[in-house]
Amino acid sequence: MIKKSLFIPPILLVILVNILFSWVDFNMDLTEDKKHSISEESKKIINNLDDIIFIKVYLDGDFPAEFKYLQSELLNLLNAFKSIAGDNFDFEVINPSNTKDEKEKSDFFTLLVKNGLNPTDIEIRSTTSKHSQIIFPGALIYYKDKQQAVNFLKNSAAKQPRENINTSVENLEYEFISAIHHLTKNKIEKIAFLEGNGELTIEESYDLTESVLKDNDRLSFHYNIDRFNIKQFEIDSATMEADISKKISDLINFKSLIIAKPTSSFNMLEKFIIDQYIMNGGKILWLIDGVNASMDSLQKHNSFIALKNDLNLDDQLFKYGVRINADLIEDLRSTQIPIVTGYSNNIPQQSYFTWPYYPLLLSEANHPISRGLDAIKCNFVSSIDTIKNPIKKTILLTSSKQSRVSPSPSKISLGILQNPPPLETFNKSRLPIAVLLEGEFESVFKNRILPKKQSIDFKDKSKMTQMIVVSDGDIARNSTSKNGNIYPLGYDKFIKYTYEGNKKFAINAIHYLCDDIGLTKLKSKEIKLRLLNKEKITKNKLLIQFV
């Protein structure tokens, strides 16, 4: 007797497989760039939620395909979060324009703006018409009695719309996880700006710390910010001298230290305190000018001599692994400045000229600190040499392929615009401007005589730590007007444009130095922009629709 084999029709098999997988939580990311994979850092934060996170997403409605793509990727992300956190995570999607009552809609829009969401005006096109619509590509996150706004659309004027959407998708996980981490963390790390040697003032670093736009793009959103004056000491009652040990222990309390554009030299005691901070695992963002130069000097005298910025830090930085050179980089990829070229009816006529001393940096480094940043504006920047030692060195920012250096003392004059140097002299390529140093640093005071009458726990080698050295103090300095107005960091008053890369680089640098959960690693996700062939779409439209 011949037994009949069991035959299952293909359509029935498909149904059975779908039913099976509806009961099983099964995900597999087959994309090359792992766009649907949640990082271990995110999983750790989501898994450790001790209360409900609820998110209201305001990206819904009738809008172009690019925004539908952004919405789809966001929903994928939030569903992935929900599958990890279970009952401790939920969300809803809201169309803020879903009402015909104009007053009700206007009041709701006003409320969203008050809560920190930024509106965007987009153009809706059809085959017969087009109209504009206000959307809110953002979300409000609720946790216990706290609330946090997230604006996830990255809108750079220098990029095409599809590139902006792609950048927004790349940053979705970072934006939401950093906001959730901010809401749920029990301890906020402390960082400090160093004072005492002519560093940037509170006003000059205001946009970096507090944000002129009053958004979350500021250091104070993530950290407690303080100012540490290295010249002020408590007096040791036993010796009636400055208590050096207490000063070092006070400095060690800060997760990271920012030394931003000092203008006067450091004495040996100050260098010793900074050195021991590093030896105890402290992390520093050095923003140091190699040469004294400013446009103020040029405007007063038409020319000036740029001299070495002697801060007495050369031996210390050399020991750690870098040397900031006493030179100025001239770069063909630079911003422009206005120059009066004539008069019309006694009214000065201006033209714009490329000013080679203001390099415009576009990072090519594949590192979370600098990868994918918008252009970074620099003023009178110097080159950096790396010194051979056991410390790991990563170049974060460089000049362009067409640059050159002028050693100090160097005459700076507007005459370079009238008689520009030959193009073939710009033969230096990618001169280092920012360097990340990582490892166990050796003290610059090893085998030196220590301060007497002090019970100092001297360390001649550090724990594993990091520092970042940038050869331009102005990279983190915002401009201020004579009447006290503060402009955004990276703002170019001549063309009325803000180079957002300056603030992003500075914040990324501090995140990396302070990072205990790997926030900067989330920024390393890169999603490739795969564009459809419009010619093939048009040619095979009916076939594609049928399939």
Side-chain angles (χ1 to χ4, degrees):
M1 184 176 182
I2 300 174
K3 293 183 179 180
K4 293 184 178 180
S5 60
L6 181 63
F7 174 74
I8 301 177
I11 187 65
L12 182 59
L13 182 62
V14 171
I15 293 173
L16 290 174
V17 170
N18 274 276
I19 293 173
L20 175 64
F21 280 105
S22 70
W23 294 339
V24 181
D25 185 12
F26 178 79
N27 292 291
M28 181 179 293
D29 189 352
L30 298 177
T31 59
E32 179 186 353
D33 41 28
K34 299 301 177 184
K35 61 189 288 186
H36 300 300
S37 297
I38 304 300
S39 70
E40 293 303 318
E41 290 77 21
S42 295
K43 291 178 182 177
K44 179 180 177 182
I45 293 172
I46 296 296
N47 274 320
N48 290 334
L49 293 175
D50 61 355
D51 208 332
I52 296 173
I53 286 283
F54 187 76
I55 301 178
K56 291 183 178 180
V57 178
Y58 292 94
L59 186 64
D60 195 22
D62 180 23
F63 35 64
E66 306 91 61
F67 285 91
K68 284 290 186 183
Y69 168 60
L70 177 60
Q71 180 197 50
S72 173
E73 293 301 314
L74 174 57
L75 294 181
N76 287 337
L77 176 72
L78 297 182
N79 278 313
F81 286 170
K82 185 173 176 60
S83 68
I84 296 170
D87 294 338
N88 275 344
F89 190 95
D90 205 358
F91 67 93
E92 67 172 321
V93 183
I94 300 168
N95 181 357
S97 299
N98 193 24
T99 176
K100 294 182 179 180
D101 188 321
E102 290 301 321
K103 185 180 184 306
E104 182 181 342
K105 183 191 295 185
S106 177
D107 290 344
F108 189 47
F109 283 6
T110 301
L111 179 62
L112 293 179
V113 172
K114 185 178 179 181
N115 285 331
L117 296 185
N118 299 330
T120 298
D121 194 358
I122 62 172
E123 189 177 78
I124 309 294
R125 293 189 178 191
S126 66
T127 54
T128 58
S129 64
K130 64 178 180 180
H131 66 278
S132 62
Q133 177 181 324
I134 295 176
I135 65 170
F136 285 83
L140 294 176
I141 303 178
Y142 300 89
Y143 174 75
K144 295 182 178 178
D145 59 344
K146 295 184 283 187
Q147 172 184 311
Q148 184 61 56
V150 175
N151 293 289
F152 47 77
L153 177 63
K154 305 301 176 186
N155 206 2
S156 171
K159 295 181 179 180
Q160 295 293 324
R162 62 175 180 268
E163 293 177 309
N164 282 323
I165 293 293
N166 201 63
T167 301
S168 302
V169 171
E170 288 180 348
N171 282 277
L172 282 175
E173 185 178 348
Y174 169 79
E175 293 292 340
F176 279 88
I177 285 299
S178 61
I180 292 171
H181 178 57
H182 175 74
L183 285 172
T184 58
K185 64 183 177 182
N186 297 318
K187 180 184 177 183
I188 299 179
E189 299 288 357
K190 296 195 303 180
I191 66 174
F193 282 80
L194 195 72
E195 289 184 331
N197 291 81
E199 292 85 358
L200 296 182
T201 64
I202 293 175
E203 291 76 20
E204 290 173 324
S205 56
Y206 181 85
D207 190 45
L208 179 58
T209 57
E210 301 298 336
S211 182
V212 173
L213 301 178
K214 302 300 180 185
D215 56 16
N216 298 336
D217 202 12
R218 52 192 165 90
L219 288 176
S220 61
F221 176 71
H222 302 279
Y223 311 101
N224 286 326
I225 314 292
D226 206 345
R227 314 285 293 191
F228 186 88
N229 194 314
I230 201 166
K231 292 188 180 297
Q232 295 177 352
F233 291 84
E234 291 185 19
I235 301 300
D236 188 335
S237 58
T239 63
M240 297 308 293
E241 294 181 352
D243 194 334
I244 300 173
S245 181
K246 178 68 166 56
K247 193 69 173 177
I248 295 171
S249 65
D250 288 345
L251 188 55
I252 292 172
N253 288 327
F254 296 105
K255 185 80 171 182
S256 181
L257 183 66
I258 304 172
I259 303 179
K261 197 178 171 65
T263 54
S264 60
S265 62
F266 290 75
N267 62 41
M268 294 304 288
L269 179 55
E270 293 161 356
K271 292 169 63 174
F272 178 77
I273 293 168
I274 294 171
D275 176 83
Q276 288 303 291
Y277 169 71
I278 296 168
M279 295 307 111
N280 281 277
K283 304 177 182 187
I284 298 182
L285 173 58
W286 303 85
L287 305 172
I288 307 294
D289 291 336
V291 169
N292 284 318
S294 74
M295 286 300 289
D296 291 339
S297 301
L298 194 61
Q299 290 169 352
K300 291 177 182 177
H301 307 290
N302 293 323
S303 67
F304 68 93
I305 302 299
L307 300 173
K308 173 180 169 59
N309 187 24
D310 191 1
L311 299 173
N312 194 28
L313 292 173
D314 291 354
D315 61 331
Q316 193 158 2
L317 293 175
F318 188 93
K319 186 75 171 180
Y320 300 151
V322 294
R323 175 175 55 229
I324 299 177
N325 295 311
D327 59 27
L328 286 176
I329 292 177
E330 297 175 42
D331 202 323
L332 291 183
R333 187 179 65 197
S334 304
T335 59
Q336 294 183 324
I337 60 173
I339 300 296
V340 175
T341 54
Y343 289 85
S344 177
N345 295 326
N346 292 324
I347 299 175
Q349 303 298 306
Q350 292 183 332
S351 297
Y352 284 84
F353 295 88
T354 298
W355 184 238
Y357 298 105
Y358 280 11
L360 200 57
L361 310 183
L362 296 170
S363 174
E364 298 179 13
N366 188 25
H367 191 279
I369 295 177
S370 55
R371 185 184 65 81
L373 291 183
D374 292 335
I376 298 172
K377 180 178 178 289
C378 292
N379 300 351
F380 296 110
V381 62
S382 301
S383 64
I384 296 179
D385 289 338
T386 55
I387 310 303
K388 188 176 181 180
N389 68 0
I391 299 300
K392 178 184 176 183
K393 304 167 187 71
T394 305
I395 307 298
L396 300 176
L397 296 175
T398 67
S399 64
S400 76
K401 295 179 181 179
Q402 292 180 293
S403 53
R404 68 177 198 166
V405 292
S406 300
S408 70
S410 176
K411 183 179 180 180
I412 309 298
S413 169
L414 293 175
I416 195 174
L417 303 178
Q418 297 173 333
N419 299 295
L423 290 179
E424 58 268 20
T425 63
F426 290 84
N427 54 9
K428 301 291 184 182
S429 178
R430 296 191 177 96
L431 296 166
I433 290 170
V435 182
L436 167 67
L437 305 175
E438 300 176 283
E440 297 177 350
F441 296 88
E442 189 172 82
S443 171
V444 71
F445 290 89
K446 184 179 181 180
N447 300 324
R448 293 192 188 183
I449 298 175
L450 300 179
K452 297 179 180 179
K453 302 179 183 179
Q454 294 277 345
S455 55
I456 298 172
D457 182 19
F458 175 75
K459 290 181 171 57
D460 61 9
K461 193 170 186 178
S462 79
K463 306 174 183 177
M464 181 65 68
T465 189
Q466 303 94 20
M467 65 176 71
I468 298 169
V469 181
V470 184
S471 58
D472 180 25
D474 292 304
I475 202 170
R477 182 177 69 88
N478 57 248
S479 301
T480 56
S481 66
K482 293 180 180 178
N483 59 4
N485 290 330
I486 298 176
Y487 297 105
L489 177 57
Y491 179 73
D492 189 325
K493 64 180 180 180
F494 299 129
I495 61 174
K496 295 180 173 54
Y497 178 80
T498 300
Y499 293 96
E500 296 179 354
N502 287 61
K503 183 188 279 193
K504 291 178 182 177
F505 174 80
I507 291 179
N508 286 354
I510 294 298
H511 276 339
Y512 189 86
L513 295 177
C514 296
D515 213 354
D516 56 344
I517 63 154
L519 278 180
T520 48
K521 292 181 182 178
L522 301 183
K523 283 182 169 288
S524 63
K525 179 177 283 189
E526 183 177 10
I527 298 173
K528 295 181 180 179
L529 194 60
R530 296 174 173 88
L531 302 179
L532 298 176
N533 187 312
K534 293 184 178 181
E535 185 179 341
K536 288 186 177 180
I537 291 174
T538 304
K539 186 177 180 181
N540 302 289
K541 183 177 180 180
L542 291 176
L543 176 62
I544 293 171
Q545 288 177 330
F546 176 76
V547 172

